[in-house]
Amino acid sequence: MSVHDVAARTYGTSSDAYERGRPSYPPDAVTCVVDALSIGASSVVVDLAAGTGKLTRLLVPTGARVVAVEPVEAMRTTLLATVPGIDVVAGAAEALPFATGSLDALVVAQAFHWFSVRPALAEAARVVRPGGGLALLWNQRDESVPWVAELYRLMRWRDRPVPSYEDVDWPVVVGEVEAFSPLEQRAFANDHEVDADALVDRVLSTSHIGVLPSEDQAALAERVRQLVAGFPQRFPFPHRTEVFWCHRR
Ligand SMILES: C[S@@+](CC[C@H](N)C(=O)[O-])C[C@H]1O[C@@H](n2cnc3c(N)ncnc32)[C@H](O)[C@@H]1O
């Protein structure tokens, strides 16, 4: 399976922190995906790179047959604990364990930047049936808020040695795939309510932080706690959820 080494290491050791610290997706973003991809009770939907199931659990109420695909065992274990009874399989985006044209919808949240992008798009085009759909989602922090900008400075975000959503022009790259219609896009406000512990979990479950020596992680956690020391016990961590979708021609 082709999983980036940093992803395998961090998500393999911090799945519980990931579950506690990462934001979910707002209801109107989920409705956008469900409507755009015509997901209903008769649909077969795969949540690829499902992680701990943050998006998976929001698709279950549609009544669709939802299958979660996740390559990292620790993430699958947390997923099964958070979404009991979910159908979860080990697999990677570049070689999906599904027959050609067998899916009505493929959704990928906070993950496509980890894939070998072009092979994964070709694989998506193989497994989604003509008329079916592909949706990509990302939660983006709002760095116009000064403490959020300072948090990402402390995390040395701009020096990180790992791929990121921001590295790829998604409409252009998906637009090169003849099998898919042009990518459409909407954005939704997503204030993630956290306390200091959840914020630390969020930071420590970030891929390039999760591979740091434990003493460096502890020092960063302390600086994060100092950053929000004067805040109310619970406070909003402002995000925007970006939703992209297209259809299989
Ligand atoms: C930031 S997490 C997103 C998890 C979840 N979708 C969410 O919204 O919280 C990224 C996930 O991508 C998975 N991943 C990384 N490389 C992958 C690949 N090549 N194929 C499938 N999943 C991959 C990781 O194991 C991890 O669970």
Side-chain angles (χ1 to χ4, degrees):
M1 257 182 238
S2 62
V3 179
H4 193 291
D5 173 57
V6 172
R9 285 161 61 201
T10 296
Y11 299 132
T13 53
S14 66
S15 62
D16 290 336
Y18 189 101
E19 174 59 22
R20 289 192 302 266
R22 292 293 189 110
S24 181
Y25 301 96
D28 45 2
V30 177
T31 300
C32 172
V33 170
V34 167
D35 290 350
L37 272 48
S38 304
I39 293 172
S42 60
S43 306
V44 178
V45 182
V46 165
D47 182 15
L48 171 59
T52 64
K54 286 195 174 278
L55 180 61
T56 321
R57 73 197 65 166
L58 304 177
L59 297 171
V60 169
T62 64
R65 177 169 173 233
V66 180
V67 180
V69 175
E70 168 55 46
V72 174
E73 186 180 1
M75 295 297 250
R76 291 198 302 276
T77 301
T78 303
L79 195 164
L80 275 169
T82 56
V83 195
I86 194 72
D87 197 354
V88 54
V89 294
E94 299 79 5
L96 290 171
F98 303 106
T100 298
S102 60
L103 309 185
D104 298 303
L106 182 66
V107 300
V108 183
Q110 208 75 21
F112 218 102
H113 56 281
W114 282 113
F115 306 163
S116 299
V117 170
R118 286 177 178 81
L121 282 170
E123 195 54 352
R126 183 185 69 77
V127 297
V128 174
R129 66 164 171 81
L134 169 69
L136 317 180
L137 296 86
W138 281 274
N139 279 324
Q140 283 291 94
R141 75 222 166 260
D142 182 356
E143 283 195 54
S144 68
V145 177
W147 77 262
V148 178
E150 177 61 11
L151 178 69
Y152 279 78
R153 197 190 63 73
L154 290 176
M155 291 166 68
R156 301 177 65 89
W157 180 255
R158 280 163 193 84
D159 303 334
R160 72 203 181 283
V162 293
S164 162
Y165 156 81
E166 297 133 59
D167 299 341
V168 178
D169 187 332
W170 297 99
V172 168
V173 171
V174 176
E176 291 167 0
V177 182
E178 183 60 26
F180 286 122
S181 63
L183 211 53
E184 298 179 67
Q185 182 176 359
R186 284 187 69 186
F188 302 88
N190 187 14
D191 274 354
H192 181 211
E193 197 177 280
V194 292
D195 57 16
D197 289 342
L199 189 64
V200 167
D201 280 330
R202 163 64 180 272
V203 168
L204 298 186
S205 72
T206 302
S207 59
H208 70 290
I209 305 293
V211 291
L212 295 176
S214 56
E215 57 273 22
D216 292 357
Q217 292 192 31
L220 178 59
E222 187 47 39
R223 295 186 78 182
V224 171
R225 287 186 191 283
Q226 285 166 8
L227 177 68
V228 298
F231 287 22
Q233 207 222 337
R234 297 189 70 76
F235 53 92
F237 184 169
H239 285 77
R240 199 178 63 245
T241 301
E242 302 279 357
V243 179
F244 299 88
W245 70 92
C246 59
H247 291 98
R248 177 75 167 85
R249 294 187 208 267

